[in-house]
Structure formats: C-alpha cells, structure tokens
Amino acid sequence: MNPTIKETQERIKKRELTPSDAVYSFLSRIRARNMETNAMLSVFEKAAGEITEIRRELPLFGSVFAIKDNILVKGEKCTAGSKILEHYVAPFDATVIEKIKEKGAVIIGKTNMDEFAMGSSTENSAFGPARNPHNLKKVPGGSSGGAAIGVADGMCNAALGSDTGGSIRQPAAFCGVVGMKPTYGTVSRSGVISMASSFDQVGPFAQTVEDAEIIFEAISGRDIKDSVTTDFLRKNRKSDKIRVGVPKEYFVKGIDQDIKEVIEKAISKIERKGIEVIEISLPHTEYALPTYEIIMASEVSANMARFDGMRYGMKIEKDVAKTIQDAYLENRGQGLGKEVKRRIILGTYTLSAGYYDAYYVKAQRVRSLIYKDMQDAFRQVDVLLTPTTPTLPFNIGEKIKDPLAMHLSDVFTVTANLAGLPAINLPCGKIKGLPVGAQVIAGRFREEILFAAAKKFEKIWQE
Ligand code: GLN
C-alpha cells in the first residue's frame, strides 16, 4: 500500500525511514511502472539529493509530490501536454509550488495531462495517452490523469492537479483516490497555465481526506499575484451534525445503472449511521454542461491567444513563414492539437460581435441561476452528495472520436466550477475491479465542513 503523508511522517519520526529513502522508493516504482501507465512526463531523478535538512515542524515534511504539467516548477520543463510547449522551461515557481516547497515537500516529477487541461481521459496529451492502473485498457480520466495515477499507483504520496470542470475529481474517481477542488479564489493561480480563468483552481490528489486537507491548508491563502485570492475561509460552523442533500436530478438522466446502485448503497450506509439525508432539487442541473461549455470555450479562446510560438515554446523552422501572420498560423497549426483548436474556434464564435449576446451573455445569466440553485440548497443542508461521474472508466479510444460523448463525463462536476464551490471526490465502492467515486460539495469557503463530512463518509465506506 502507498503510504499517506501522515504515515510517512510517522515512519520518519520513528527513524524507520529517511526522506531520501522515500524518494528512492518512489523513483523505483516510477521506473517499474511508467512504461505501462505513461503517468509521468518528466522525473526529477535528483530529488533525493536535494533534501538538505529535515524540519519536522513543517506540515508537509517528508512528503513526495508529483505535479500536473501545467503548474510551473522553476528550471523544469512545463509542457501542459502540448507540442507547442514541448521545450518550454519554467522561469519561476508557481505560488502553490513555492508553498509546498517551503512547507517541506519534495517534488518528484511532472504528470501527464490532456493538452492545456482540455479533456476527460488524458488521451489529448501530445505525449501519448496515460493508462488506468486498475486496468491498462481503460482511461485514467482527465485532464489530470497522470496525477491521479501517480497517487493510485504508488509513484508519490500526493499530487497537485487543476480543476476547471472536473479535472481533479473525475480522474480521482476513475483511479480510486481522493481529489479536491477548492472554493474559487482560495488557491493562487499564479504560475498555473490558464485554461478558463473564471473556473480554474489548483487542488490536491491524496490517498485520504486527511492528507487532502493538510495539502489544502498548505496551498491556500491570499496571494498578491492572483487578485481573486482571499484568506476568507469560514470557520464558524460546528461540524458534529451534518445534514446531507442528495439532488434528485443527478440520478435521472445520463447515469449508468450500476453507478447509480453503488452510490445509492453508499448513501444508505451513511443514513444507517444516523446522518440525516434529505432529497433536494437543483432545477437548473440540465443547463450546467452547456453553460460550462460556452463560457469555458470563450475563456479558452482568449487565454490561448498568447501561444503564438513567439513568446513561449515552439518556433517553426526558419523561412517557413514569410509574414508574421503566416508564422502565427504555422506555429499554432502545427503546435496545437485538435481538441484545443475546436475550443478556440467555438469560443471565438461565442464571443463574436453577432453571437455574443445570444451565447456568452445568456450563458452568464444561466450561470447565476445555477449559483442560486446552490445557495437555496445550502439553506437546507450543509453538503451535497452526488456521483462524481456518470460511468465507469471507459476504454482507451472509445470516446476520442466523439467529443460530445467525452464532454458528458463532466456532467456532475462542472456545477461546482460554475458556482465556485469546493468539492471533493472520494472512493465509495468498486464494480468489476474498477473504482466508483462519490462527490461531496459544500458552500463557498465552507472547506471545513466539506472535509469534516468527507472524513465521516470515508470512514463509513471503508468499514
Ligand atoms: N473535462 C473537462 C473539459 O474537458 C474539464 C477540464 C478541466 O477541468 N481542466 O473541459
């Protein structure tokens, strides 16, 4: 079993393990497994040698992290899974990286991902698909697939990913680990390659809710380099009695029968332990995915404009382009993959003068309604409990030619991003050896209650 951060720290304190031993054992696991899973895009072989002192008072001392390849680690390549950034080297540390380093973590490498975090299977990576460690024919989920595999397959204690529409929670569900997306504005995005800026949040992958909470505390907080960040976390609610809401809309359409059964069983288990469960309604649920698609693509099209091959990364061969316009077209034409191009085209359309009101503005209005649904729900309950994904991990190649089917993977996760809410995936059962995940969602800045509830559920489901 892969040790948790807590267990590693205990073992180091008892002198059963040194931090460099821990790194060496993860490195050998990576060597043994990466050929099969393709989880890691780069491995920091020298990581063990960089441990100079062991400061046991630090919250992350002794822990070994893998980092999604859209988060900058100074002096290391940062590809975002794209050919256009294949040779790009990060000139500084992202704030989250500074923070985990300061708090004692060691970084062991960068993980595979869908290009620029666009995808649900890690098949859109320019560096080949990653594979689910529970069954190598299946996808690990995405876009942070490599990070989820790293934790599930014993390559690191924990990982950092990014979640724009579900890219932490969905791969966590498919790989059977804990994955958490914080409240929008609690974790800095400085040094994180943007996808859709009003949704993007960095969060932890871990083996337990306790570890995820330790990491969240280490990475959150106001950062002058990200103007939406704040220190405002509500710590005023006692968490001994938790009321759980189950949104009925999540169980009607688009969910596989076997997933539904596992989740319903998990819900009855917590009810049997005396936790109050109430059925609630989120009437705008069916609009969440189309609303996300429109706003996300609009923001993607704006964010992707900076990748022209001039400022960062790839440059085409000399003399291929006669004009600057040709150079942009060549760089972007050769450097970007299909899914990224599709979204740039869609987003450019939804932001265009003639269609802006019909699509972008309308979607923003629906976004407010979706947030209002959530506010109403959190007047009745403390947390929501839902499935994380509508299906089990699917076969590699099964959905890659059908972007709409692929996008349906996110149907239960995008709402938390649209409303800026914190949400966490935790494993709650298995079907034919493949993990099933449940999602817990809380109100904005209610991380405390989110973790408290998730710890309770985790304990009940493990019994
Ligand atoms: N799978 C979703 C998408 O393709 C979410 C991506 C993400 O969260 N980065 O947009």
Side-chain angles (χ1 to χ4, degrees):
M1 213 357 224
N2 190 3
T4 63
I5 294 179
K6 271 274 167 210
E7 285 159 2
T8 305
Q9 292 176 337
E10 292 303 318
R11 292 188 60 199
I12 294 173
K13 278 186 190 154
K14 287 195 203 136
R15 297 186 193 282
E16 292 168 9
L17 185 78
T18 68
S20 37
D21 294 341
V23 178
Y24 285 125
S25 78
F26 286 128
L27 283 173
S28 74
R29 180 75 182 166
I30 293 172
R31 253 174 249 129
R33 293 284 296 169
N34 203 42
M35 287 287 274
E36 284 185 289
T37 60
N38 199 22
M40 307 288 290
L41 291 180
S42 52
V43 182
F44 305 169
E45 298 282 346
K46 293 201 205 91
E50 282 159 12
I51 302 169
T52 45
E53 52 171 341
I54 311 162
R55 292 176 52 197
R56 294 179 189 177
E57 71 283 8
L58 297 177
L60 295 176
F61 91 91
S63 64
V64 178
F65 275 68
I67 306 293
K68 186 177 184 180
D69 210 18
N70 59 349
I71 302 175
L72 272 55
V73 176
K74 188 174 177 179
E76 303 289 347
K77 278 214 252 179
C78 193
T79 68
S82 181
K83 210 170 141 218
I84 207 165
L85 291 182
E86 190 173 359
H87 305 295
Y88 174 69
V89 174
F92 63 92
D93 274 333
T95 299
V96 288
I97 298 300
E98 268 174 10
K99 287 195 173 201
I100 64 165
K101 282 183 177 169
E102 266 165 23
K103 286 167 186 155
V106 174
I107 297 173
I108 201 166
K110 304 292 292 289
T111 61
N112 203 355
M113 57 181 285
D114 285 299
E115 185 173 11
F116 287 104
M118 301 177 205
S120 307
S121 66
T122 316
E123 290 168 288
N124 293 335
S125 166
F127 309 105
R131 293 169 184 276
N132 194 314
H134 297 276
N135 178 341
L136 295 170
K137 291 203 184 79
K138 307 279 175 186
V139 303
S143 62
S144 320
I149 300 168
V151 175
D153 206 30
M155 296 172 164
C156 50
N157 296 118
L160 292 183
S162 67
D163 192 311
T164 301
S167 279
I168 293 175
R169 290 158 288 154
Q170 187 255 17
F174 277 10
C175 293
V177 296
V178 173
M180 185 248 178
K181 179 203 96 74
T183 301
Y184 185 75
T186 50
V187 177
S188 171
R189 297 162 303 161
S190 171
V192 182
I193 297 176
S194 314
M195 178 182 155
S197 306
S198 76
F199 302 99
D200 299 344
Q201 273 294 281
V202 170
F205 284 93
Q207 295 177 80
T208 58
V209 177
E210 182 182 37
D211 273 7
E213 187 172 13
I214 296 173
I215 301 166
F216 169 73
E217 287 189 349
I219 61 175
S220 56
R222 168 143 169 73
D223 176 19
I224 193 148
K225 294 188 222 135
D226 180 351
S227 59
V228 306
T229 51
T230 157
D231 280 326
F232 181 72
L233 278 176
R234 293 188 200 162
K235 295 216 166 175
N236 53 1
R237 189 186 266 276
K238 272 256 165 254
S239 53
D240 8 321
K241 219 168 172 264
I242 291 170
R243 284 162 310 160
V244 180
V246 174
K248 59 175 189 230
E249 290 82 359
Y250 281 54
F251 293 84
V252 212
K253 254 201 330 220
I255 179 166
D256 282 1
Q257 190 57 32
D258 46 1
I259 300 270
K260 191 173 158 190
E261 279 162 20
V262 171
I263 301 289
E264 282 171 350
K265 228 167 147 189
I267 295 172
S268 12
K269 275 193 194 157
I270 63 169
E271 265 185 305
R272 257 182 273 136
K273 291 281 172 187
I275 297 176
E276 188 183 350
V277 178
I278 309 165
E279 186 182 85
I280 58 136
S281 170
L282 299 170
H284 297 92
T285 296
E286 66 173 304
Y287 305 111
L289 196 56
T291 305
Y292 166 77
E293 294 289 333
I294 291 171
I295 302 173
M296 174 275 293
S298 306
E299 294 181 10
V300 160
S301 73
N303 275 328
M304 291 305 297
R306 76 193 64 160
F307 298 104
D308 52 12
M310 301 288 146
R311 280 166 284 194
Y312 318 95
M314 190 180 91
K315 284 184 190 59
I316 43 159
E317 297 288 311
K318 244 169 95 193
D319 299 332
V320 168
K322 297 269 177 290
T323 65
I324 188 92
Q325 179 73 8
D326 282 352
Y328 291 155
L329 290 175
E330 279 301 319
N331 272 317
R332 287 164 72 83
Q334 291 177 30
L336 300 176
K338 275 196 181 132
E339 181 66 17
V340 173
K341 285 178 186 159
R342 257 196 298 268
R343 295 190 195 202
I344 294 173
I345 294 168
L346 183 65
T348 308
Y349 178 80
T350 52
L351 290 180
S352 63
Y355 295 97
Y356 180 84
D357 288 337
Y359 292 105
Y360 183 74
V361 173
K362 185 158 239 173
Q364 291 291 14
R365 293 210 174 104
V366 182
R367 185 177 192 172
S368 309
L369 293 174
I370 289 167
Y371 179 54
K372 198 179 155 290
D373 276 1
M374 285 293 189
Q375 277 181 309
D376 293 344
F378 289 120
R379 267 183 220 112
Q380 303 167 56
V381 295
D382 299 300
V383 293
L384 302 180
L385 182 56
T386 78
T388 305
T389 63
T391 69
L392 282 174
F394 41 90
N395 290 332
I396 293 181
E398 189 181 324
K399 300 193 179 177
I400 196 73
K401 296 238 159 63
D402 184 353
L404 279 183
M406 185 75 88
H407 289 197
L408 281 174
S409 308
D410 311 322
V411 60
F412 300 143
T413 48
V414 293
T415 306
N417 303 77
L418 283 161
L421 309 174
I424 190 166
N425 170 75
L426 40 153
C428 72
K430 275 193 167 181
I431 300 170
K432 295 189 208 116
L434 292 171
V436 177
Q439 172 177 237
V440 185
I441 308 175
R444 276 190 197 164
F445 301 107
R446 294 252 187 240
E447 265 75 0
E448 203 185 31
I449 200 124
L450 180 83
F451 286 122
K455 276 185 211 157
K456 282 194 178 168
F457 303 161
E458 180 182 50
K459 199 162 154 244
I460 295 170
W461 293 335
Q462 274 168 2
E463 273 169 10

